[in-house]
Amino acid sequence: MTAAAAALLLLSGCAGPEYTYVRDSDGGTYFKVPSSWKKVDQKALEGQLFGDPASATAQVQRQLTWSVAYDAQAEPSADHLLIGSGGADDRPFVMAKVQTLTEPQRNQASLDSLRNAIGLPVAVPDDTRKQMESSAEYPFKNFELLDDQVLPSQDGVRGVRSVFNFRLANGVQTFDETSYLSADGSRISTLLIRCSAACYQQRSKEIDQIVQSFKVTRLLNQ
């Protein structure tokens, strides 16, 4: 073996893992992200998801929800959840959450509630959308549904994957959202990936690998 080959073998052996593997607190929902993506500050993420941490509503939501996010930007920020850095260097942002449903939410659970699980208006009546978008203050404009798949049911677990565009302040953003409802209807597990439309097209294979890794193994409430 030449010295160069030995050095190459040594370097390959010292290389770090290609992916970071992520599981929720119960270990029933998991996915992977490239190891170069950085974890987002948890308090900042929860601020984006739940709003004012001092409010009683936010405190209840936080108790019922596990969440985590990773950012492909060099400087990760929870602000990239909905709006990227702008320009040609925009990079993907991935967020996952597992929400324990209240009794009223369980009674109303449907495929459309899975589509709306992250809080974005995906499955809403056309007249409602027109009314929302007519407001100058409303940030989500020009909704465009690119793909919508009802995923194969497994042991009672239902799932939906929706890919859609919104025009936001810094241009068109593409969102890739996958949500599963547990077999007993008690939890919704959601994975959301956001990137600019151009970024999504350029990195679609990488993004799809992350989505395909998203699994829910906790089928029934223990």
Side-chain angles (χ1 to χ4, degrees):
M1 179 182 293
T2 66
L8 181 60
L9 181 61
L10 179 62
L11 287 173
S12 64
C14 294
E18 185 178 1
Y19 292 100
T20 298
Y21 294 86
V22 187
R23 287 183 179 270
D24 74 328
S25 55
D26 291 337
T29 298
Y30 61 93
F31 63 101
K32 67 180 183 181
V33 296
S35 57
S36 60
W37 294 24
K38 297 178 175 63
K39 189 175 181 180
V40 174
D41 178 78
Q42 189 64 30
K43 288 186 178 180
L45 175 63
E46 291 177 356
Q48 288 284 344
L49 293 176
F50 309 127
D52 183 1
S55 77
T57 299
Q59 292 175 13
V60 170
Q61 290 178 333
R62 191 165 58 250
Q63 291 173 356
L64 293 175
T65 306
W66 173 90
S67 62
V68 69
Y70 287 82
D71 195 346
Q73 290 285 354
E75 297 184 3
S77 171
D79 293 338
H80 297 157
L81 172 62
L82 297 179
I83 299 179
S85 60
D89 193 39
D90 189 34
R91 301 181 184 183
F93 183 101
V94 58
M95 189 275 294
K97 72 170 189 173
V98 179
Q99 178 186 2
T100 299
L101 302 181
T102 63
E103 190 66 29
Q105 289 172 332
R106 293 181 64 171
N107 292 336
Q108 297 175 8
S110 66
L111 293 180
D112 278 349
S113 64
L114 293 181
R115 295 181 174 98
N116 297 331
I118 211 66
L120 296 174
V122 178
V124 297
D126 289 341
D127 56 345
T128 300
R129 189 181 304 283
K130 290 179 180 178
Q131 183 177 5
M132 291 188 298
E133 292 193 8
S134 66
S135 171
E137 292 77 20
Y138 186 72
F140 302 103
K141 307 289 188 181
N142 303 118
F143 172 77
E144 181 183 12
L145 184 64
L146 304 178
D147 191 28
D148 187 82
Q149 303 175 40
V150 176
L151 302 175
S153 178
Q154 180 182 2
D155 296 325
V157 175
R158 294 184 292 166
V160 175
R161 180 181 180 183
S162 302
V163 183
F164 49 92
N165 286 342
F166 278 112
R167 178 175 292 279
L168 295 170
N170 66 339
V172 177
Q173 302 293 317
T174 299
F175 298 87
D176 193 324
E177 180 184 31
T178 301
S179 293
Y180 290 103
L181 178 68
S182 63
D184 62 359
S186 67
R187 284 176 291 268
I188 292 179
S189 300
T190 303
L191 183 82
L192 180 75
I193 302 177
R194 181 219 53 81
C195 206
S196 70
C199 162
Y200 187 87
Q201 292 175 3
Q202 293 167 0
R203 304 180 70 158
S204 59
K205 290 184 179 179
E206 178 184 22
I207 290 171
D208 191 61
Q209 286 180 339
I210 298 170
V211 174
Q212 295 301 327
S213 75
F214 181 56
K215 305 295 182 185
V216 176
T217 60
R218 183 184 51 236
L219 304 180
L220 295 170
N221 192 15
Q222 301 297 323

